[in-house]
Amino acid sequence: MRRFLPVLAVSVLSLLYRLTQALGLMATDKSANPRELQRVAKRSKYWRLHGWLMLISVVIFSPFAFSSIYDRMAFLRQNRLLLLIGFNRYYLMPACAFATLWIHCSKQAEIVECLNRLLQCRRRLRKLLPSKALRDSLDTLSNGKHLIQFGLLVVSIMLSTSQPLQVLRDDPEVRRNFTYASSLVFVYACQLILQLSLGIYTLALLFLGHLVCHSNQLLARILDDAGRILKESLRARFGPIRQQLYREQQHWLALELWRLIHLHGELLKLQRCISSLYEVQVVCFVVNGPMECMVHLFFTYFMRYSKFILRKYGRSFPLNFYAIAFMTGLFGNLLLVILPTYYSVRRFARTREILKGGVYEFPAGTSEKRLKQTLHYYGLFLKNVDYMFTDNVCGLFKLNNALLFCIVGAMLNYLMILIQFDKVWNK
């Protein structure tokens, strides 16, 4: 089973990669050389042109799709509230897909460069790791935690297909009108474009977090070696040859620490680069996803417990498990956007804690000058990280647990308001 899961994950990941290419999100071309396949990603002119064609098709087909759906779904024309709900699903979603495709097409060079920089940081970190066990751990991405997160991502994308599939299955107009059916498929394709773009964001943060964890382990290892050397130098105070050996060892550790500082700075820049490339998509999904969940929650209540339905049909409708699965998929995708970002910031904060705890263990006044200066520079750099690298999304909010609780609270508040309106209007 342990051997089967990584193979299955690689197969699913390859399928998702092909799907992102087909939808115009990725314009990378795999080289025939397997060594190049592992080391560098190159842009493909064919897939770049395909991405621009997808963008143009979204722009052209979006008004026709909304018009077709508006004409066929009679409930959208009953009042403004239902029209607003339909506008959120059938007009705002193509707009989000347009913004996503525009960013991926216009900034494809930056995305590919960011990917290559991630691979370069991995190679640099692998050269710095002292033991074979750490290098093997760095090479092993398919551990249990990563497989769980990737599995949740795939399951959330699959669950979010349930509501569009239910509409395509149960609406009799779908079989009679090809334009209406293609419009519904088009809207779901727009949703899938946004979800896959955020899936790339989640996987990039997953890989970046893997590198940061191993750089933190290397920092703890260097500080532990430095503390051990400093303590041993106190016991050999009167041995000049031994003292010279300890100074050379401290100088070597200072050089290793300096290389790690540059690697850590590059990882911080990559964190900021990834966030800036996907911040518009994050804003779109944070706005659209909770609204979709709230609307489906209200309709689930309305069809099950509203007195209007009881008076009109004489019975309540059963729970719509397709809608529940759809909401679960969207909310799971929202969690996989917010929580990896939050824990990525926590990993960088953990670096400062490791440096602070390791330096406190050093004997006073025994460190070599180069090592002391390197430690001071590293501490000053980490102290100013919060001012140099901010994690605000478009300057609006931070992706952390507080935002998640605010979203859940807002969904429940507006759901209660809609339920109260229903109880007042349908006494």
Side-chain angles (χ1 to χ4, degrees):
M1 190 66 178
R2 292 182 179 180
R3 296 180 180 179
F4 174 72
L5 286 178
V7 175
L8 178 62
V10 171
S11 302
V12 175
L13 186 60
S14 178
L15 178 62
L16 291 179
Y17 171 73
R18 294 300 182 186
L19 193 57
T20 55
Q21 282 186 321
L23 293 175
L25 296 176
M26 291 297 293
T28 55
D29 188 17
K30 290 187 176 182
S31 174
N33 187 353
R35 190 176 179 85
E36 290 289 325
L37 177 61
Q38 297 178 1
R39 293 179 178 274
V40 68
K42 297 180 180 180
R43 286 188 295 165
S44 170
K45 293 182 180 180
Y46 169 77
W47 290 112
R48 289 175 62 190
L49 179 61
H50 176 75
W52 285 108
L53 291 177
M54 286 293 298
L55 176 65
I56 294 172
S57 64
V58 168
V59 174
I60 294 175
F61 195 69
S62 293
F64 295 102
F66 182 76
S67 176
S68 175
I69 293 173
Y70 181 77
D71 292 338
R72 298 302 182 273
M73 290 187 174
F75 71 92
L76 295 179
R77 303 189 297 272
Q78 291 181 3
N79 55 58
R80 293 181 179 179
L81 178 61
L82 294 176
L83 178 61
L84 181 62
I85 293 173
F87 182 85
N88 173 62
R89 172 68 183 173
Y90 299 111
Y91 193 84
L92 185 59
M93 187 62 72
C96 295
F98 167 76
T100 301
L101 286 173
W102 173 262
I103 291 173
H104 277 267
C105 292
S106 61
K107 297 184 178 180
Q108 190 64 222
E110 289 85 344
I111 293 174
V112 175
E113 181 185 0
C114 184
L115 175 60
N116 289 328
R117 286 166 60 189
L118 276 171
L119 297 176
Q120 183 182 7
C121 287
R122 175 187 169 275
R123 293 196 300 270
R124 289 171 56 186
L125 180 59
R126 196 177 191 282
K127 292 179 181 179
L128 291 175
L129 292 176
S131 64
K132 185 178 183 299
L134 286 176
R135 290 193 293 270
D136 292 341
S137 176
L138 180 65
D139 294 337
T140 306
L141 274 170
S142 58
N143 54 38
K145 185 177 179 181
H146 293 167
L147 289 176
I148 289 174
Q149 294 183 17
F150 179 68
L152 290 176
L153 175 64
V154 175
V155 170
S156 65
I157 294 176
M158 293 177 63
L159 288 177
S160 61
T161 64
S162 56
Q163 192 268 344
L165 289 178
Q166 182 191 20
V167 176
L168 291 172
R169 188 195 67 177
D170 296 341
D171 195 343
E173 191 68 24
V174 171
R175 299 174 181 84
R176 296 193 295 264
N177 194 320
F178 176 76
T179 304
Y180 173 63
S182 61
S183 299
L184 293 175
V185 174
F186 169 75
V187 172
Y188 171 68
C190 293
Q191 173 190 322
L192 188 61
I193 286 172
L194 183 59
Q195 286 184 303
L196 287 177
S197 177
L198 294 175
I200 297 172
Y201 171 75
T202 301
L203 293 177
L205 288 184
L206 189 68
F207 185 45
L208 181 65
H210 185 67
L211 298 180
V212 174
C213 285
H214 284 81
S215 72
N216 288 341
Q217 294 180 21
L218 178 59
L219 175 61
R221 180 75 172 266
I222 291 175
L223 294 176
D224 184 64
D225 291 341
R228 178 175 52 80
I229 291 172
L230 291 175
K231 290 178 182 179
E232 290 179 357
S233 65
L234 292 177
R235 303 190 187 99
R237 184 177 296 274
F238 300 105
I241 299 177
R242 184 62 62 87
Q243 287 291 341
Q244 179 65 24
L245 175 62
Y246 288 145
R247 281 194 296 270
E248 293 296 331
Q249 289 177 338
Q250 292 181 46
H251 177 58
W252 178 79
L253 289 175
L255 292 176
E256 290 291 306
L257 193 60
W258 187 257
R259 294 169 67 185
L260 185 59
I261 291 173
H262 285 281
L263 178 62
H264 186 80
E266 185 66 21
L267 292 175
L268 279 169
K269 292 178 182 179
L270 283 171
Q271 164 79 13
R272 179 55 185 163
C273 178
I274 293 171
S275 300
S276 63
L277 287 172
Y278 290 92
E279 58 186 2
V280 175
Q281 297 93 304
V282 170
V283 171
C284 291
F285 194 76
V286 167
V287 172
N288 187 269
M291 290 179 65
E292 288 276 354
C293 293
M294 183 192 66
V295 168
H296 281 85
L297 280 173
F298 174 70
F299 274 109
T300 301
Y301 157 81
F302 185 79
M303 301 301 291
R304 179 73 177 176
Y305 301 105
S306 177
K307 293 183 179 179
F308 174 80
I309 297 296
L310 293 176
R311 286 198 302 266
K312 186 173 182 179
Y313 297 99
R315 62 182 181 88
S316 61
F317 288 89
L319 289 176
N320 188 352
F321 292 101
Y322 288 94
I324 295 175
F326 178 73
M327 289 184 292
T328 304
L330 284 184
F331 194 75
N333 208 332
L334 185 66
L335 289 177
L336 290 172
V337 171
I338 296 177
L339 294 182
T341 307
Y342 171 68
Y343 287 119
S344 179
V345 176
R346 287 283 301 272
R347 290 188 192 98
F348 283 108
R350 175 64 180 162
T351 306
R352 184 176 177 181
E353 297 173 4
I354 292 174
L355 181 64
K356 182 179 178 181
V359 171
Y360 279 164
E361 298 294 329
F362 288 178
T366 58
S367 59
E368 196 257 344
K369 181 179 179 180
R370 294 185 183 88
L371 180 60
K372 185 185 297 185
Q373 290 177 345
T374 306
L375 290 171
H376 286 170
Y377 177 81
Y378 204 171
L380 183 63
F381 173 75
L382 293 176
K383 183 178 180 180
N384 293 296
V385 160
D386 294 336
Y387 304 100
M388 297 163 58
F389 301 94
T390 59
D391 57 339
N392 289 336
V393 179
C394 294
L396 298 175
F397 48 79
K398 293 184 178 181
L399 292 176
N400 51 25
N401 291 345
L403 175 66
L404 185 60
F405 284 111
C406 289
I407 289 174
V408 175
M411 287 171 53
L412 294 178
N413 285 334
Y414 283 102
L415 178 63
M416 293 303 298
I417 291 172
L418 292 175
I419 291 175
Q420 289 173 2
F421 273 114
D422 173 69
K423 290 185 177 296
V424 170
W425 290 341
N426 301 298
K427 290 184 179 179

